[in-house]
Amino acid sequence: MAKFGIGQSVPRTEDPKLITGSGRYTDDIKPDGQLQAFFVRSPFANAIITEIDLGEAAEAPGVVGAFTGEDLTRAGISGIPTYARLTNRDGSAMAEPPRPNLAVDQVRHVGDPVVLIVAETLAQAKDAADLIMVDYDPIDAVVDPAAALRDGAPQIWPEAPRNLVFDWELGHEAETNALFDQADRIITLDHVNNRVVSSPMEGRACLAEYDPATERFTFTVSSQGAHNIKDRITKDVLNIDPESMRVLTPDVGGGFGMKIFLYPEYPATLHAARVLGRPVKWAAERSEAFISDDHGRDNLTHAELAVDADGKFLALRVDTIANLGGYLSNFGPFVATNAGNRMLSGLYTIQRVHSRVRGVFTNTQPVDAYRGAGRPEAAFTVERIVDKAARELGVSPAEIRRRNYIPPEAMPHTTATGLTYDSGEFARNMDDALEAADWHDFEHRRGEAAQRGKLRGIGLATYVEACGGGGSEYALVSVKGDGRVVLTVGSQTNGQGHETGFKQIISEHLGVDFDDITIIQGDTDAMPTGSGVGGSRAIPVGGANVADAALKIQERAKARAADMMEAAAADIALEDGRFTIVGTDRSVTLAEIAADLGEEIAFDEQGDFKPPASTFPNGAHICELEVDPDTGTVDILRYTVVDDFGKVLNPLLVAGQVHGGIAQGIGQALLEKTVYDEDSGQLLSGSFMDYAMPRADSLPFVDFRYNEIPCKTNPLGVKGAGEAGAIGAPPAIINALVDALSVHGIDHIDMPATPSAVWRAIRDRRIEQAAE
């Protein structure tokens, strides 16, 4: 094994730079002559624009330009496209109205951008924005997705009658219904998957530059993939040759899915830079981000589970209303449908699944991917209704799952939704978690808490997700003449530690120290393609391509080492970082081999791996908590996780990803509540004063463990790990909370289970019990 090779807990090499303030983020870049952009946004959720008067603002001090939607249209700039087109249940196409970069005739949510103003300084741009006169004629708004479907609801788009974007289904309805007819018991559950705000540490930002001599843009943007931004914005929005733009993404302070997409600010600032002939910078302030970034989740779901007399699951029916906001984001329809609904079989031998999803327009922010992108929504539905079934049948949460798990010997297993799991030992993960959490002694702890006036609960949730699939990823490994290695990779780190992981793979296969490895990413001129980051693909796909390229170089280096030492190539092995003749002490390093070749680039190889299928990480979460019935406060006391991520590249990195995902899951389950005023459509939770984020004291110590069950469809044996914590945590927490509240006969509580919501649930149930 190399000094810092695969399987070792190597600290992140990126961290010293970032924690000492040496990181370079988009807003840190300040070219000469830079101008500042500011967007005038709609104060109304739904209104007709009758007039825009820029006259006074255009003459304000420092102002160099002001642009409307009509200006962009005249320049041949198209609106923001949708890349997730669906077919309705009846075979018709979904509604697909345009999404303008700057609103022209109507605004459809608070924060909808209307005018771009550019000035020498941000303060001057803001002052001038106050002088812009936009005449709005407000009309009724609707923010609740169920209400938006009702007769008489405000109509948001003429292309979508009754605000219905699509009516989509998955599975065989008749076969599913037939199994329900045979069921001994039908379990039902209505629940909310609450809307969340992504809130990365670094907000969205972009810097647009245009060189009239070459007629070429340079666009620096905080993103999850420079090539994705370049390809979409050039081909589909600006309608220009892709080679006329270079996109750069430097350090990124978090994305969580939200930074994958195109936003109206990007083409608008690019247009301004071209017209004005100077660089134009825009960076979202936090309050602006709340009303301009895409949000996540926001589903209303009715689920039914058919169970036979032995507690075996027969079929699952799910009916969801998905809020897509006032416009369609790039992949919003996909996230609400195929991204998550194919996981509705969970870990179980369920025979049939039928899911119906109605996507709905409302006068709220667009909704798209947020960490997990549909899989957390599906896992929450499955694990909550499974837990409810256990309670209604009088079976323990562990036992009902054990009866229904897909056994290891059934692998590969094709689920009721058509996915094929290649590997997994689901009962083993659960049993290990139960033991680590001291599950069987819980009732003793519950009794002790009751003596202190507290309600103690324990909750189990298991999960599986599909990730690490899709297309290939660009990875070029080059060995210079001095033995230093350069990796050019199309992935884009957002803080996950990819640089460290890639270095471990190269060190493993080429015996090179970390200090001699350079990683290049986030530059479309440096590589022909790149898929960025999303769907936990960086290591399963990007890493597999890095390994493939490194192994090709290893074979070539062995052949050259054999020539240098006058041996057979078959007798050369990489041992302790040196190419050694097996059974002897004769060896050379990669640097010595490269120097012997006498070339500027000694070796140059590109990875060639395209995943044949997704990977399917899975695991078990157990949460133990206490509730103060007098205040509704929830205190998480213990949190145990046993995951299967296949072969673990770096246990330290994986643990960090799990911890971060659990933190976001805790936020959604207990704290984060996006609230719109039902009458005006105003966002009432538009700052961290009103929107509760998890803090250090919200998070428990996480007892994280894993079982390595190698993925059979990935050459590294790895399964994606980036989203798992956010998938398993919400149902585990709510299952534990329901267990604590079950003493009052409460069998469900929606997310976020804030102290006020918990207190009201207890109060209302006590009133009901007193009246019985």
Side-chain angles (χ1 to χ4, degrees):
M1 178 181 287
K3 181 179 179 182
F4 296 121
I6 292 173
Q8 299 187 58
S9 290
V10 181
R12 296 177 5 154
T13 61
E14 302 94 321
D15 288 352
K17 174 185 74 171
L18 300 177
I19 64 178
T20 58
S22 300
R24 190 168 184 261
Y25 298 87
T26 298
D27 200 30
D28 292 326
I29 302 168
K30 296 178 172 60
D32 293 340
Q34 173 184 288
L35 299 170
Q36 289 286 342
F38 183 78
F39 287 87
V40 176
R41 300 182 182 276
S42 170
F44 299 103
N46 204 9
I48 304 300
I49 299 174
T50 59
E51 185 180 1
I52 301 176
D53 184 354
L54 304 177
E56 190 176 356
E59 301 300 321
V63 171
V64 295
F67 305 89
T68 67
E70 290 182 349
D71 295 326
L72 271 62
T73 299
R74 283 193 293 269
I77 297 174
S78 303
I80 303 297
T82 301
Y83 297 104
R85 297 176 178 89
L86 300 175
T87 300
N88 291 317
R89 300 172 72 201
D90 63 6
S92 62
M94 74 176 200
E96 193 180 349
R99 182 185 182 184
N101 297 293
L102 298 173
V104 177
D105 300 316
Q106 184 175 348
V107 292
R108 291 177 171 84
H109 67 85
V110 172
D112 207 350
V114 179
V115 177
L116 165 62
I117 191 149
V118 183
E120 297 288 346
T121 69
L122 182 59
Q124 290 172 328
K126 288 183 176 181
D127 288 344
D130 290 336
L131 302 175
I132 294 174
M133 302 301 294
V134 182
D135 190 2
Y136 297 99
D137 183 8
I139 53 181
D140 289 342
V142 60
V143 297
D144 178 80
L149 287 174
R150 295 173 191 149
D151 293 338
Q155 181 69 42
I156 298 170
W157 287 100
E159 296 92 332
R162 296 181 64 246
N163 299 311
L164 184 67
V165 184
F166 55 78
D167 187 352
W168 175 92
E169 69 178 345
L170 172 70
H172 302 284
E173 185 174 16
E175 295 175 12
T176 302
N177 291 343
L179 286 169
F180 269 84
D181 291 340
Q182 302 171 23
D184 290 273
R185 194 74 170 264
I186 295 175
I187 314 299
T188 64
L189 177 69
D190 292 288
H191 64 277
V192 174
N193 209 287
N194 47 315
R195 177 183 283 241
V196 291
V197 180
S198 294
S199 304
M201 286 191 290
E202 180 209 18
R204 285 192 299 120
C206 63
L207 170 64
E209 301 174 83
Y210 182 73
D211 182 352
T214 61
E215 298 184 335
R216 196 163 193 252
F217 289 100
T218 299
F219 189 55
T220 306
V221 59
S222 180
S223 81
Q224 292 182 226
H227 268 285
N228 291 334
I229 297 292
K230 172 187 170 179
D231 293 345
R232 294 165 189 160
I233 206 166
T234 55
K235 297 176 185 177
D236 302 328
V237 182
L238 296 182
N239 302 301
I240 59 175
D241 182 351
E243 294 311 306
S244 63
M245 180 178 288
R246 178 188 188 187
V247 176
L248 299 168
T249 291
D251 290 325
V252 179
F256 310 126
M258 182 271 290
K259 290 182 182 175
I260 293 174
F261 319 118
L262 290 185
Y263 287 89
E265 295 86 0
Y266 302 163
T269 53
L270 285 161
H271 173 67
R274 180 168 56 184
V275 170
L276 300 175
R278 291 172 63 182
V280 177
K281 165 81 68 63
W282 171 75
E285 296 178 347
R286 186 62 65 180
S287 58
E288 186 178 20
F290 269 91
I291 57 172
S292 65
D293 294 347
D294 283 357
H295 291 173
R297 317 290 194 238
D298 207 349
N299 292 344
L300 305 174
T301 297
H302 173 76
E304 298 176 315
L305 179 65
V307 184
D308 72 10
D310 296 322
K312 293 281 287 182
F313 304 154
L314 300 176
L316 178 69
R317 286 192 297 228
V318 179
D319 191 336
T320 294
I321 299 173
N323 193 347
L324 297 178
Y327 300 100
L328 296 181
S329 181
N330 292 166
F331 300 101
F334 169 72
V335 171
T337 55
N338 277 302
N341 280 261
R342 293 195 178 276
M343 305 313 302
L344 286 170
S345 291
L347 301 172
Y348 308 112
T349 55
I350 191 165
Q351 297 177 38
R352 291 288 181 269
V353 170
H354 179 261
S355 176
R356 178 190 185 191
V357 181
R358 284 168 286 174
V360 182
F361 281 124
T362 63
N363 293 115
T364 64
Q365 245 141 281
V367 175
D368 211 311
Y370 173 71
R371 196 169 190 169
R375 282 95 78 194
E377 295 93 312
F380 189 81
T381 295
V382 173
E383 290 302 298
R384 278 295 298 123
I385 201 165
V386 165
D387 225 59
K388 193 165 186 281
R391 290 193 175 277
E392 293 193 15
L393 297 174
V395 179
S396 76
E399 176 57 26
I400 200 166
R401 288 172 169 84
R402 194 184 315 279
R403 290 182 192 180
N404 289 280
Y405 277 153
I406 302 162
E409 59 270 19
M411 299 296 176
H413 175 85
T414 301
T415 71
T417 61
L419 296 176
T420 301
Y421 300 163
D422 64 280
S423 59
E425 298 181 18
F426 310 141
R428 174 186 171 188
N429 295 333
M430 182 181 70
D431 288 339
D432 288 352
L434 292 171
E435 182 177 357
D438 197 14
W439 177 282
H440 301 292
D441 194 42
F442 170 73
E443 290 304 326
H444 172 76
R445 299 192 295 277
R446 192 202 297 271
E448 184 275 329
Q451 292 177 3
R452 293 184 283 106
K454 300 294 180 68
L455 306 177
R456 196 158 180 140
I458 193 166
L460 165 67
T462 56
Y463 77 92
V464 61
E465 68 152 324
C467 62
S472 186
E473 181 59 275
Y474 183 82
L476 177 69
V477 178
S478 303
V479 180
K480 294 187 174 183
D482 59 3
R484 289 181 294 123
V485 175
V486 177
L487 167 64
T488 306
V489 64
S491 183
Q492 177 64 57
T493 186
N494 281 193
Q496 300 93 333
H498 297 163
E499 179 181 304
T500 303
F502 293 148
K503 286 181 177 180
Q504 285 182 261
I505 294 170
I506 292 171
S507 182
E508 175 81 17
H509 295 311
L510 296 179
V512 182
D513 288 341
F514 278 13
D515 290 342
D516 293 327
I517 302 172
T518 300
I519 310 292
I520 298 174
Q521 58 181 332
D523 182 351
T524 58
D525 276 7
M527 63 205 73
T529 63
S531 59
V533 62
S536 299
R537 300 180 74 253
I539 299 303
V541 183
N545 276 284
V546 173
D548 183 61
L551 285 168
K552 290 174 181 175
I553 290 175
Q554 184 190 103
E555 290 305 306
R556 291 176 60 188
K558 285 179 178 179
R560 186 66 184 184
D563 289 343
M564 292 172 64
M565 295 184 289
E566 298 180 340
D571 293 333
I572 305 297
L574 182 62
E575 298 177 354
D576 298 323
R578 301 180 69 89
F579 290 82
T580 303
I581 300 175
V582 176
T584 75
D585 59 358
R586 296 182 61 199
S587 65
V588 291
T589 65
L590 182 65
E592 291 169 336
I593 296 170
D596 185 68
L597 285 168
E599 303 286 344
E600 181 179 354
I601 300 296
F603 302 106
D604 210 9
E605 290 287 350
Q606 184 177 332
D608 184 23
F609 169 72
K610 180 179 179 180
S614 295
T615 69
F616 296 96
N618 58 88
H621 287 228
I622 296 177
C623 175
E624 187 169 334
L625 52 75
E626 280 187 353
V627 177
D628 183 340
D630 294 327
T631 65
T633 302
V634 177
D635 185 15
I636 299 177
L637 305 174
R638 298 176 67 172
Y639 203 101
T640 307
V641 185
V642 177
D643 280 316
D644 163 19
F645 295 132
K647 177 66 177 176
V648 173
L649 173 68
N650 182 326
L652 197 60
L653 289 182
V654 168
Q657 287 298 294
V658 171
H659 294 164
I662 289 171
Q664 288 180 280
I666 289 172
Q668 181 176 9
L670 299 178
L671 300 167
E672 299 183 47
K673 189 173 185 178
T674 310
V675 182
Y676 289 93
D677 181 83
E678 292 187 3
D679 295 325
S680 67
Q682 294 292 328
L683 180 63
L684 302 180
S685 54
S687 76
F688 290 145
M689 294 294 290
D690 306 294
Y691 185 89
M693 291 282 284
R695 302 185 181 191
D697 61 356
S698 305
L699 310 179
F701 172 80
V702 176
D703 182 357
F704 168 63
R705 310 177 186 205
Y706 56 87
N707 289 317
E708 290 188 296
I709 296 133
C711 177
K712 296 180 180 178
T713 61
N714 183 278
L716 295 176
V718 302
K719 304 173 184 178
E723 298 153 303
I727 296 171
I733 294 164
I734 297 301
N735 285 347
L737 183 54
V738 169
D739 184 56
L741 300 178
S742 63
V743 66
H744 291 294
I746 296 171
D747 63 3
H748 180 67
I749 187 167
D750 276 321
M751 300 186 293
T754 61
S756 61
V758 173
W759 180 84
R760 285 188 173 88
I762 295 171
R763 179 203 61 184
D764 292 348
R765 187 58 187 141
R766 282 173 172 171
I767 293 172
E768 292 173 3
Q769 289 173 326
E772 290 175 356

